[in-house]
Structures are given as structure tokens and as C-alpha cells.
Amino acid sequence: MAARKILTYPDTVLRERSEPVTDIDGKVQQLIDDMADTMYLTNCAIGLASNQVGEPCRIIMFDTSAKDEPNELVVLINPEIIEADGVIVNEEGCLSVIDYRADVKRAERVTVKAIDREENPITIKKEGLGAIVLQHEIDHLNGTLFIDHISKLKRELYKRRLKKLLKEKEA
Ligand code: NI
């Protein structure tokens, strides 16, 4: 097991649509273990998508209990939202979007169909924070980041600030 490097915006891999997993083999199991290590090593992280560590396949994981009681890890392979309703607005951040948080409007409840790591089909229903995380992580697999859900003006301001920040890091 090993933590992997997290890609950050504007890395183009984050913008690609990830391909479905067709075989849950040893390599996929290893990737899932590495993703869990990566997520738990990052203090405030409650979710992660495979393409954030440079693997454009469709795997997400989350643990919304991370702060209190870790290890309520949920791993979903080829997740798909089959039902969504309600509206909730909450401040989001992302390991791949450095130094930024913003309010994002999401569905309040979602039902997601997926496969677990033991190859069983599962259906999971979540509301509130769980629903937000599911939508945020499934977005990643489709090349979408939470900053795509904010106003163009806010996004442009962030891009400008990020450019400056990255330049300062180079110098
Ligand atoms: Ni994210």
C-alpha cells in the first residue's frame, strides 16, 4: 500500500472522462488500497476519485465519518446516479483544486448504482453530505470539477489567483 500523488487543476487528466472498469483484478484492488491510503493521509479529505491519482477508470470512495470514527469507507466501482431530487447548497473544496472553497448547488438526495470491490452490484441512497460527496466524486469521473458549478466570474477570479500562486511557487 502506498499513497499516490494527487493531480491538481489545471492538469488535463482531471478533465478526461474516465473509462469503466471491466475487470476487478489485482491491479484494481491495489489501486483501491492506494486510494484509501491517499485519502486517509489527507486530513480533511472525505472522498476521492481514481482519476485524481492519475488513473482514468471509474472508481470513487468516501468516508463521511472521517473526522469522528474513521473506517466507514465506501468504495464504488462504475457508479451511476439513477435518481436525484431536492436542492442543497453547501461549501465544497477539493484536493485537486488547491486553496479554494465555494458554495455549490447539488441535489439533496441521490440514489447510486455501482459495483463493490467484491464484484457485488450495490445500490446506495444518501442525503445531505453523503449525497454531496457522491455527486462531487462522480463528477470527477466525468471530468467535471466543483468550480464548473460556480459562476463564471468566481471561476475566472480563482483562475487568476491560482496562476499567481503557481508562479510564486516556481520562483
Ligand atoms: Ni474533488
Side-chain angles (χ1 to χ4, degrees):
M1 305 226 286
R4 304 231 188 155
K5 185 176 177 278
I6 293 169
L7 303 180
T8 56
Y9 175 80
D11 194 299
T12 53
V13 175
L14 294 168
R15 292 318 209 168
E16 286 167 22
R17 193 183 157 81
S18 296
E19 294 295 324
V21 175
T22 52
D23 188 9
I24 304 172
D25 57 11
K27 236 180 115 184
V28 167
Q29 296 291 355
Q30 181 67 58
L31 171 61
I32 291 169
D33 289 338
D34 287 355
M35 282 173 66
D37 277 0
T38 309
M39 189 178 84
Y40 284 118
L41 263 177
T42 313
N43 278 335
C44 52
I46 56 172
L48 191 68
S50 49
N51 56 335
Q52 288 184 274
V53 294
E55 301 283 350
C57 53
R58 302 183 80 79
I59 302 171
I60 63 168
M61 63 175 52
F62 64 94
D63 182 349
T64 49
S65 74
K67 273 178 200 152
D68 322 316
E69 276 174 58
N71 293 320
E72 279 181 35
L73 182 66
V74 179
V75 176
L76 301 177
I77 298 168
N78 300 341
E80 213 183 304
I81 295 172
I82 53 171
E83 255 177 63
D85 71 84
V87 174
I88 187 169
V89 177
N90 196 57
E91 194 185 71
E92 294 185 26
C94 177
L95 296 176
S96 294
V97 179
I98 56 169
D99 203 29
Y100 191 63
R101 298 184 70 81
D103 277 350
V104 177
K105 199 199 253 182
R106 303 271 188 192
E108 193 181 5
R109 284 170 294 275
V110 293
T111 305
V112 170
K113 199 179 78 176
I115 305 168
D116 69 14
R117 66 188 300 183
E118 283 84 39
E119 304 195 27
N120 304 306
I122 45 169
T123 303
I124 169 167
K125 274 186 189 199
K126 289 277 175 190
E127 61 172 69
L129 182 61
I132 291 168
V133 176
L134 277 166
Q135 290 167 86
H136 178 118
E137 302 310 332
I138 292 171
D139 261 2
H140 271 301
L141 302 181
N142 297 325
T144 301
L145 298 169
F146 82 90
I147 49 171
D148 298 324
H149 294 292
I150 63 178
S151 74
K152 198 174 169 207
L153 177 67
K154 277 190 187 164
R155 193 165 48 245
E156 289 306 320
L157 286 172
Y158 172 63
K159 279 189 196 170
R160 219 178 293 166
R161 191 158 63 79
L162 181 68
K163 237 183 224 168
K164 229 176 113 188
L165 210 77
L166 294 177
K167 223 181 235 170
E168 279 166 11
K169 265 192 187 168
E170 265 173 36

